[in-house]
């Protein structure tokens, strides 16, 4: 029994050790295996620009790419299998081409053998044949509307009261009945519309008072304007002095030096390792082409011999091809973040800034 327990414990320990070794190897691979990038762009003399960007890690175990060929195409792959995006491989393009060819063949067949369409006369004959076994209905039943008893319809009895109610009354009698009431209402409305002299005088006086109040407020604001401007100038001067002292402090100078150093290290670590270019450029004005060429000549030693520039002083154009390759170490990025986060000068600078903001808000 003890032997079995010892063997199980031994195997469990071996399995845990293997898991730890795998996790350590994965961590070291993430930190020290570089993330490589590859950029390429091509443009013919009279063609549209085309470009492609590819980023991959650990022998293309994880890769992401984007391409511009008349439209944006992108994709993400894990172990060579597409996971996300619309960027397909050559097989996918061939399959898409076969599908498009099949669709074109079907369309051509449809054009050669169009579907039969029936004429209007045939449709009417079909309707007649379909509706023939159905019994004829009255127009009232077909429309779904049942007329009420019409006193003028023949074959029905009519009452005198209904006939008198249905008969229209002459307009003269109605007007004679409603005439005096309408005139009284019109007179009352006219009386309401026309305000009296006192009302109009009070309204005019209220307008004069509101104008005088507005004029008084305007004069008071103009008199208080110099004092407000003086206070505003004092506040701006105080704020400027505070910022100047903050920028001239020792903590700020040392923090800027640390950030500058880490920024230069980041540029050196992610800068391209290989640049190959063959570019032909020109502008409508030859003087502009000469100025650009002079500026490029100043940084030409930094570009290397693999970059070829061909100026054209006769016509305006920009064509050629360029390829850029480089790498990024995740360890370098984490190192820079660690140094900036735990730097004492940067922490003091942040605390000073927060205190200054709190004092300014309190005032």
């Amino acid at each position: 029994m003890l032997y079995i327990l010892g063997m199980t414990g031994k195997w469990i320990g071996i399995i845990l050790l293997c898991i730890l070794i795998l996790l350590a190897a994965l961590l070291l691979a993430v930190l020290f295996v570089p993330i490589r990038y590859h950029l390429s762009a091509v443009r013919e003399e009279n063609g549209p620009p085309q470009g492609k960007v590819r980023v991959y890690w650990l022998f293309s175990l994880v890769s992401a790419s984007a391409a511009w060929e008349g439209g944006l195409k992108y994709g993400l792959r894990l172990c060579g299998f597409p996971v996300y995006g619309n960027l397909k491989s050559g097989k996918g393009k061939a399959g898409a081409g076969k599908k498009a060819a099949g669709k074109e063949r079907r369309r051509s067949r449809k054009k050669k053998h169009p579907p039969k369409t029936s004429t209007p006369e045939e449709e009417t004959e079909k309707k007649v044949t379909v509706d023939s076994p159905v019994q004829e209905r009255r127009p009232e039943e077909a429309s779904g509307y049942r007329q009420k008893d019409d006193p003028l319809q023949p074959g029905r009895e009519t009452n005198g009261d209904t006939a008198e109610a249905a008969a229209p009354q002459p307009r003269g009698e109605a007007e004679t009945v409603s005439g005096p009431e309408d005139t009284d209402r019109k007179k009352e409305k006219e009386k309401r519309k026309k305000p009296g002299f006192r009302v109009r005088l009070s309204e005019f006086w209220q307008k004069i008072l509101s104008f005088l109040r507005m004029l008084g407020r305007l004069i008071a604001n103009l008199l208080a304007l110099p004092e407000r401007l003086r206070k505003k100038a004092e506040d701006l001067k105080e704020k400027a002095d505070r910022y100047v002292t903050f920028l001239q402090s020792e903590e700020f100078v040392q923090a800027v030096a640390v950030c500058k150093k880490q920024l230069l290290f980041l540029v050196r670590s992610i800068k391209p390792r290989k640049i190959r270019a063959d570019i032909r450029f020109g502008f409508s004005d030859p003087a502009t082409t000469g100025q650009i060429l002079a500026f490029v000549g100043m940084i030409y030693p930094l570009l290397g011999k693999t970059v070829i520039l061909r100026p054209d002083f006769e016509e305006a154009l920009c064509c050629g091809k360029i390829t850029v390759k480089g790498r990024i170490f995740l360890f370098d990025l984490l190192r820079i973040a660690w140094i900036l986060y735990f730097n004492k000068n940067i922490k003091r600078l942040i605390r000073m800034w927060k205190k200054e903001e709190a004092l300014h808000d309190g005032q």
Side-chain angles (χ1 to χ4, degrees):
M1 187 69 182
L2 293 175
Y3 177 75
I4 294 172
L5 291 174
M7 290 297 294
T8 54
K10 179 181 178 181
W11 283 109
I12 290 171
I14 292 171
I15 292 169
L16 291 176
L17 182 61
C18 292
I19 293 171
L20 289 175
I21 291 171
L22 288 174
L23 291 175
L26 181 62
L27 180 62
L28 292 175
V30 169
L31 291 176
F32 295 102
V33 174
I35 301 171
R36 301 182 182 275
Y37 60 89
H38 182 198
L39 290 80
S40 61
V42 179
R43 184 180 183 182
E44 300 296 334
E45 188 171 350
N46 295 322
Q50 297 179 1
K52 186 176 181 181
V53 180
R54 184 167 177 262
V55 180
Y56 56 96
W57 175 74
L58 197 61
F59 305 106
S60 298
L61 182 67
V62 181
S63 64
S65 58
W68 178 267
E69 297 176 357
L72 182 61
K73 297 180 181 180
Y74 54 91
L76 176 66
R77 290 175 174 270
L78 293 176
C79 300
F81 297 99
V83 177
Y84 177 76
N86 58 0
L87 188 63
K88 297 180 180 179
S89 61
K91 296 181 181 179
K93 292 181 180 178
K98 290 181 181 178
K99 289 181 180 179
K103 288 182 180 178
E104 289 180 358
R105 290 174 185 172
R106 291 170 190 168
R107 290 175 184 173
S108 62
R109 289 175 184 173
K110 288 181 180 179
K111 288 180 180 179
K112 290 179 181 179
H113 304 284
K116 295 181 180 180
T117 56
S118 59
T119 60
E121 296 178 355
E122 294 177 355
E123 291 180 358
T124 53
E125 290 178 358
K126 288 179 182 179
K127 288 182 180 179
V128 169
T129 55
V130 172
D131 296 336
S132 59
V134 182
Q135 294 181 0
E136 294 181 356
R137 298 180 181 179
R138 294 180 181 178
E140 294 85 2
E141 295 176 355
S143 61
Y145 174 77
R146 186 176 182 182
Q147 295 182 355
K148 295 183 178 180
D149 295 337
D150 191 355
L152 300 177
Q153 190 173 359
R156 295 185 181 180
E157 296 180 357
T158 58
N159 295 326
D161 297 334
T162 57
E164 291 178 359
Q169 295 181 358
R171 294 182 180 179
E173 294 179 0
E175 289 177 356
T176 54
V177 173
S178 60
E181 294 179 358
D182 292 340
T183 54
D184 294 337
R185 289 175 183 174
K186 289 180 181 178
K187 289 179 181 180
E188 289 178 359
K189 288 181 180 179
E190 290 177 356
K191 289 180 180 179
R192 291 175 183 175
K193 288 181 180 178
K194 294 180 180 180
F197 176 74
R198 293 180 180 178
V199 175
R200 285 183 287 175
L201 184 62
S202 63
E203 290 177 355
F204 180 71
W205 179 249
Q206 292 295 331
K207 290 179 180 178
I208 291 173
L209 289 176
S210 62
F211 176 74
L212 291 175
R213 292 192 193 99
M214 184 182 68
L215 187 62
R217 288 194 296 270
L218 181 62
I219 293 170
N221 291 330
L222 290 174
L223 292 175
L225 183 62
E227 183 66 21
R228 288 203 300 269
L229 291 175
R230 186 182 62 81
K231 289 182 180 179
K232 192 70 175 178
E234 289 179 355
D235 292 339
L236 290 174
K237 184 177 179 300
E238 184 180 356
K239 188 182 290 186
D241 294 338
R242 187 166 63 249
Y243 286 145
V244 167
T245 53
F246 178 77
L247 295 174
Q248 291 178 350
S249 61
E250 184 179 357
E251 289 82 2
F252 181 80
V253 174
Q254 293 180 359
V256 168
V258 172
C259 293
K260 183 179 178 181
K261 182 179 178 180
Q262 298 304 319
L263 181 62
L264 292 175
F265 178 77
L266 178 63
V267 170
R268 286 196 300 268
S269 63
I270 67 174
K271 71 178 182 180
R273 304 293 175 180
K274 294 180 181 180
I275 300 176
R276 292 181 180 178
D278 188 356
I279 301 172
R280 184 184 173 194
F281 68 96
F283 296 90
S284 57
D285 187 7
T288 306
T289 306
Q291 291 175 0
I292 298 295
L293 186 61
F295 174 75
V296 173
M298 296 170 62
I299 60 172
Y300 196 77
L302 301 175
L303 300 176
K305 298 180 180 180
T306 56
V307 178
I308 301 171
L309 301 175
R310 305 177 190 273
D312 193 332
F313 294 93
E314 294 181 358
E315 56 180 344
L317 54 87
C318 181
C319 59
K321 58 183 179 179
I322 183 171
T323 304
V324 178
K325 293 182 180 181
R327 62 185 182 182
I328 302 170
F329 286 96
L330 187 61
F331 176 77
D332 294 338
L333 300 179
L334 293 176
R335 175 177 172 275
I336 293 170
W338 180 277
I339 292 172
L340 294 178
Y341 183 78
F342 289 100
N343 187 264
K344 295 181 180 179
N345 296 317
I346 294 175
K347 286 186 176 181
R348 289 176 185 173
L349 193 67
I350 293 171
R351 285 198 296 268
M352 288 173 61
W353 180 264
K354 289 182 178 179
K355 287 181 181 179
E356 292 291 337
E357 290 294 328
L359 291 173
H360 180 67
D361 295 337
Q363 291 177 359

